[in-house]
């Protein structure tokens, strides 16, 4: 549905009837809460083919097999997307039909959603909403619906990891379904994470019961002999907001995604969450962090330090030198979904460390203080993955090979706040990445390209930590601001011949104020539904440039970026309209490194008025056309 009237209250907007063929399914719980004992990991007999650690010199057998199924879905989806985009003088059907026998010639797409707390979750949600062909009106002219269905990979970290994890823990539902759900507490961010879900929801209990459930769950893990960290509490609290299941989905595991029939048959992209290795109190910088990933089958790293992967469902087992000794059981349930999401966002443990600033009662503050004292201040931002699955693995290079402890932190602590690392691995052959950046780099909480700079510098570091990954050249952060590269889409890596190895073209989508000032603080613990919906709407506008209102050719230019590497590989002439797009959106190497003033971008389209009851869009007839891109009503 399109907003075409001024001063319309979105809280009370009617829900438009939908064609059953493209209906948005009602939010449902996932069907596989498969942990053996709730939150407590538990050992049992191993399968006859005992799990081992594998080298990171190739894709896993599981991922390679799944890719065959996924490509059978993404190729026709990309073909449909390009037909809707309709690039002038390019016959997408003819191109795809000519190369269908060699799928490597066809585009391979990745999506990456940055960290940044609830701001990143909501802004990223707007982008995914815009990219999802299941959403109303998303495939109309000038829109980009179908990009999500065309993507092979979807990566997230920190707040972006919450978004990705929440989608997959809720049957890969639509963003609109998550926003509109009234059956439980999912995505009800107005209920502070300190206070728990509101009474009257599916989980009917008060704050005392909420903390009691969290404490008992983590206590069970501790009593089973595992080292609890503050991330256990943080992850459990997150789950009540992100997973639509009783008790915050206490038995839902990240590895259960691989068992879902829609995922295993290739109907959904592959989710990847990112975290960094770090010992408590260690200073972490881009050049010395080992970057780990969680995917539905494995946990591990491509970095030349540890350079290995372990089956994720058996985290918590006592691996040694890459094998699980015969006298050891196979532990399951360690990869709790909330714990994995919390591990990717341990920076937000600072929420729990600032309990004295909250409005909760002194009694609950006392309970939380006791928890924090038990965990210890030195572990205030780590997730403990003891026993270390990479103990005595790659002894010559691994920083953790000689210790039975493995501790991880927020995936953005090395400044790589966009989870590009999994998508630039040569083995995955990604051609183009749409990178949504909701970082708070400036003093006013807007991005300035810091994450892109960090990923580039890591790739060229002489220590070899990049391990053969190539990355497009990136300007300094002052240039990002001075040239406006942080307030509109920018393409990096347009000319692959200027890159030292195979690298994706990166479509950089920075958070900007299109219809709402979405630069809320990273550490905002609660957001009412009106603000939530406004930030989602703004994220939708960022990804689509207002459904091509800011640039009527934007969707075409996005299509050109999708096809760029395929045209190179097949020596296909680039359509003239795409040459124009590349001239406009590709960074041309220009620099302006003078120190900019305070970055305070102006609203690109009319501002929204947001209150406790709804959103009011204020517009006059002269700018009515610019409002057409606001495509969805939200009911809350």
């Amino acid at each position: 549905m399109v907003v075409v009237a001024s001063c319309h209250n979105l809280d009370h907007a009617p829900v438009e009837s939908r064609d059953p063929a493209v209906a948005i399914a009602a939010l449902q719980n996932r069907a596989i809460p498969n942990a053996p004992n709730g939150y407590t990991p538990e050992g049992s007999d191993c399968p006859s083919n005992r799990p081992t650690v594998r080298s990171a010199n190739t894709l896993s057998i599981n991922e390679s097999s799944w890719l065959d199924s996924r490509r059978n879905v993404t190729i026709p989806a990309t073909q449909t997307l390009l037909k809707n985009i309709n690039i002038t003088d390019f016959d997408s059907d003819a191109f795809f039909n000519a190369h269908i026998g060699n799928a490597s010639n066809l585009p391979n797409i990745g999506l990456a959603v940055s960290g940044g707390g609830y701001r990143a979750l909501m802004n990223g949600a707007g982008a995914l909403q815009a990219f999802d062909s299941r959403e109303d009106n998303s495939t109309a002219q000038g829109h980009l619906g179908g990009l999500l269905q065309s993507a092979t990979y979807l990566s997230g970290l920190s707040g972006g990891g919450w978004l990705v994890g929440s989608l997959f823990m809720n049957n890969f539902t639509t963003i609109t379904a998550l926003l509109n759900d009234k059956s439980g507490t999912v995505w009800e961010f107005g209920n502070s994470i300190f206070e728990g879900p509101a009474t009257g929801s599916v989980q009917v209990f008060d704050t005392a019961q909420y903390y009691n459930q969290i404490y008992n769950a983590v206590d069970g893990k501790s009593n089973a002999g595992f080292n609890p960290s503050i991330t256990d509490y943080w992850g459990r609290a997150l789950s009540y907001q992100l997973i639509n299941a009783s008790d915050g989905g206490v038995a839902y595991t990240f590895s259960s995604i691989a068992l879902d029939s829609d995922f295993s048959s290739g109907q959904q992209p592959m989710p990847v969450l990112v975290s960094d290795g770090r010992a408590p109190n260690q200073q972490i910088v881009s050049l010395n962090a080992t970057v780990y990933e969680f995917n539905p089958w494995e946990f591990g790293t491509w970095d030349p330090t540890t350079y290995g992967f372990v089956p994720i469902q058996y985290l918590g087992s006592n691996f040694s030198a890459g094998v699980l000794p015969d006298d050891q059981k196979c532990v399951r349930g360690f990869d709790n979904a909330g714990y994995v999401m919390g591990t990717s966002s341990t920076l937000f443990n600072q929420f729990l460390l600032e309990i004295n600033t909250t409005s909760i009662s002194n009694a609950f503050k006392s309970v939380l203080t006791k928890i924090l004292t038990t965990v210890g201040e030195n572990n205030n931002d780590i997730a403990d993955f003891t026993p270390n699955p990479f103990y005595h693995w790659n002894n010559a290079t691994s920083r953790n090979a000689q210790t039975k402890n493995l501790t991880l932190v927020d995936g953005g602590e090395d400044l790589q706040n966009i989870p590009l690392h999994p998508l630039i691995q040569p083995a995955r052959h990604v051609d183009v990445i749409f990178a949504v950046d909701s970082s708070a780099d400036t003093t006013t909480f807007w991005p300035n390209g810091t994450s892109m700079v960090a990923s580039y510098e890591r790739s060229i570091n002489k220590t070899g930590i990049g391990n053969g990954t190539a990355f497009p050249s990136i300007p300094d952060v002052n240039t990002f601001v001075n040239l406006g590269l942080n307030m509109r889409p920018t393409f990096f890596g347009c000319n692959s011949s200027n890159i030292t190895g195979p690298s994706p073209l990166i479509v950089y989508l920075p958070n900007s104020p299109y219809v709402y000032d979405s630069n809320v603080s990273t550490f905002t613990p609660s957001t009412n539904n009106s603000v939530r919906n406004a930030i989602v709407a703004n994220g939708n506008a960022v990804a689509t440039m207002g459904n091509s209102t800011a640039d009527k050719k934007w969707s075409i230019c996005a299509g050109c970026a999708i096809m760029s590497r395929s045209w190179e590989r097949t020596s296909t002439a680039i359509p003239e309209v795409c040459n124009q797009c590349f001239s406009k959106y590709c960074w041309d190497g220009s620099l302006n490194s003078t120190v900019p003033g305070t970055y305070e971008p102006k609203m690109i389209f009319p501002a929204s008025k947001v209150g406790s009851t709804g959103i009011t869009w204020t517009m006059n007839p002269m700018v009515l056309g610019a409002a057409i891109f606001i495509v969805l009503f939200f009911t809350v």
Side-chain angles (χ1 to χ4, degrees):
M1 183 174 288
V2 179
V3 178
V4 292
S6 63
C7 301
H8 191 93
N9 190 309
L10 299 187
D11 263 72
H12 305 289
V15 179
E16 186 179 49
S17 61
R18 299 173 173 91
D19 186 328
V22 294
I24 298 176
L27 184 64
Q28 300 175 1
N29 296 338
R30 279 183 47 80
I32 316 176
N34 66 333
N37 188 20
Y39 192 74
T40 302
E42 189 172 275
S44 61
D45 292 339
C46 294
S48 57
N49 185 18
R50 296 178 69 83
T52 60
V53 179
R54 72 168 183 89
S55 173
N57 57 0
T58 186
L59 296 179
S60 70
I61 294 174
N62 287 321
E63 183 175 345
S64 296
S65 176
W66 173 85
L67 281 171
D68 291 337
S69 299
R70 182 59 183 165
R71 290 293 274 169
N72 288 334
V73 174
T74 61
I75 289 173
T78 306
Q79 195 169 354
T80 299
L81 171 64
L82 292 170
K83 285 180 67 175
N84 290 338
I85 290 174
N86 192 21
I87 299 173
T88 308
D89 296 327
F90 173 60
D91 188 336
S92 57
D93 280 344
F95 182 90
F96 273 67
N97 292 337
H99 296 282
I100 196 66
N102 184 2
S104 63
N105 283 335
L106 300 176
N108 189 21
I109 301 170
L111 307 177
V113 186
S114 83
Y118 292 104
R119 178 189 66 249
L121 181 152
M122 294 180 286
N123 187 58
L128 295 189
Q129 183 187 63
F131 297 158
D132 191 343
S133 63
R134 298 171 296 174
E135 299 279 9
D136 282 351
N137 206 36
S138 66
T139 59
Q141 184 177 5
H143 298 205
L144 289 173
L147 182 57
L148 179 60
Q149 283 68 30
S150 302
T152 304
Y153 299 101
L154 173 58
S155 65
L157 67 76
S158 201
W162 306 347
L163 168 63
V164 174
S166 185
L167 284 178
F168 280 87
M169 287 299 110
N170 294 296
N171 281 341
F172 199 67
T173 189
T174 63
I175 298 302
T176 297
L178 287 164
L179 294 172
N180 289 348
D181 176 61
K182 292 183 175 65
S183 66
T185 62
V186 68
W187 283 40
E188 291 296 328
F189 304 133
N191 303 329
S192 168
I193 200 166
F194 292 114
E195 298 171 305
T199 300
S201 68
V202 169
Q203 298 144 317
V204 184
F205 51 82
D206 59 21
T207 303
Q209 292 172 306
Y210 169 66
Y211 280 113
N212 190 55
Q213 285 192 6
I214 292 174
Y215 183 85
N216 287 341
V218 180
D219 193 49
K221 181 176 179 179
S222 176
N223 290 337
F226 296 92
N227 296 343
S229 61
I230 194 173
T231 303
D232 286 281
Y233 301 98
W234 173 243
R236 289 303 307 130
L238 277 176
S239 296
Y240 285 89
Q241 292 188 331
L242 301 179
I243 302 175
N244 191 42
S246 60
D247 300 333
V250 70
Y252 287 71
T253 63
F254 202 77
S255 58
S256 74
I257 296 170
L259 304 177
D260 181 82
S261 59
D262 283 343
F263 174 76
S264 62
S265 63
Q267 299 301 309
Q268 302 164 357
M270 173 178 152
V272 187
L273 301 192
V274 173
S275 190
D276 293 334
R278 201 211 75 179
N281 290 333
Q282 176 188 359
Q283 181 68 32
I284 189 169
V285 295
S286 178
L287 302 183
N288 73 1
T290 296
V291 179
Y292 290 88
E293 71 171 55
F294 300 86
N295 67 55
W297 304 284
E298 295 185 311
F299 163 76
T301 178
W302 301 92
D303 286 352
T305 48
T306 303
Y307 198 60
F309 286 88
V310 65
I312 189 173
Q313 67 174 318
Y314 296 122
L315 283 173
S317 304
N318 276 296
F319 289 90
S320 180
V323 299
L324 191 59
D326 291 340
D327 62 345
Q328 296 294 317
K329 291 186 176 296
C330 283
V331 173
R332 294 175 55 243
F334 194 100
D335 65 316
N336 176 271
Y339 188 58
V340 171
M341 288 187 279
T343 296
S344 186
S345 59
T346 55
L347 181 64
F348 298 94
N349 291 337
Q350 296 300 319
F351 279 151
L352 300 184
L353 297 175
E354 297 175 4
I355 57 174
N356 288 329
T357 66
T358 70
S359 61
I360 64 175
S361 71
N362 289 332
F364 297 139
K365 288 180 183 178
S366 177
V367 172
L368 280 178
T369 301
K370 179 180 178 181
I371 290 172
L372 296 180
T373 301
T374 300
V375 172
E377 293 183 359
N378 289 341
N379 295 314
N380 61 14
D381 67 343
I382 61 95
D384 198 325
F385 276 73
T386 303
N388 175 15
F390 303 110
Y391 181 59
H392 284 170
W393 171 262
N394 278 350
N395 291 315
T397 58
S398 175
R399 302 181 180 121
N400 298 102
Q402 305 306 316
T403 175
K404 291 188 176 182
N405 300 98
L406 177 64
T407 52
L408 307 179
V409 294
D410 188 289
E413 283 201 24
D414 61 357
L415 300 183
Q416 295 185 98
N417 200 40
I418 307 174
L420 298 170
H421 185 270
L423 308 185
I424 62 174
Q425 298 305 317
R428 287 185 167 138
H429 303 290
V430 175
D431 291 320
V432 58
I433 303 171
F434 286 78
V436 181
D437 189 5
S438 304
S439 303
D441 301 324
T442 70
T443 57
T444 50
F445 305 137
W446 298 104
N448 67 4
T450 292
S451 178
M452 296 287 287
V453 173
S455 292
Y456 169 62
E457 290 181 346
R458 191 177 198 270
S459 73
I460 61 174
N461 182 257
K462 294 181 180 179
T463 65
I465 190 67
N467 202 28
T469 55
F471 201 82
S473 295
I474 303 294
D476 60 274
V477 297
N478 291 342
T479 293
F480 264 88
V481 175
N482 291 328
L483 299 187
L485 306 181
N486 67 328
M487 65 178 302
R488 64 165 177 84
T490 304
F491 299 170
F492 294 98
C494 292
N495 187 348
S496 64
S497 64
N498 291 336
I499 306 174
T500 57
S503 169
L505 185 154
I506 298 177
V507 178
Y508 179 66
L509 301 171
N511 183 27
S512 306
Y514 274 72
V515 298
Y516 185 70
D517 283 319
S518 54
N519 58 326
V520 296
S521 170
T522 300
F523 295 102
T524 300
S526 63
T527 304
N528 70 42
N529 287 351
S530 300
V531 173
R532 177 198 68 180
N533 295 347
I535 295 177
V536 171
N538 190 75
N540 189 306
V542 167
T544 64
M545 296 196 77
N547 289 325
S548 299
T549 300
D551 178 0
K552 65 182 180 180
K553 292 184 178 179
W554 166 242
S555 64
I556 292 176
C557 292
C560 297
I562 291 170
M563 287 302 304
S564 177
R565 294 294 192 258
S566 289
W567 287 333
E568 286 183 7
R569 285 194 295 271
T570 58
S571 301
T572 300
I574 299 175
E576 177 55 31
V577 68
C578 290
N579 285 325
Q580 296 171 10
C581 287
F582 294 147
S583 177
K584 182 172 185 177
Y585 288 105
C586 291
W587 177 57
D588 62 3
S590 299
L591 297 173
N592 181 349
S593 301
T594 57
V595 178
T598 301
Y599 181 64
E600 296 179 330
K602 295 182 179 179
M603 193 76 63
I604 297 172
F605 291 118
S608 63
K609 295 180 180 179
V610 180
S612 61
T613 59
I615 308 173
T616 301
W617 302 97
T618 304
M619 55 194 78
N620 60 50
M622 295 299 293
V623 296
L624 185 58
I628 298 298
F629 71 89
I630 307 172
V631 296
L632 290 174
F633 286 109
F634 300 118
T635 57
V636 293

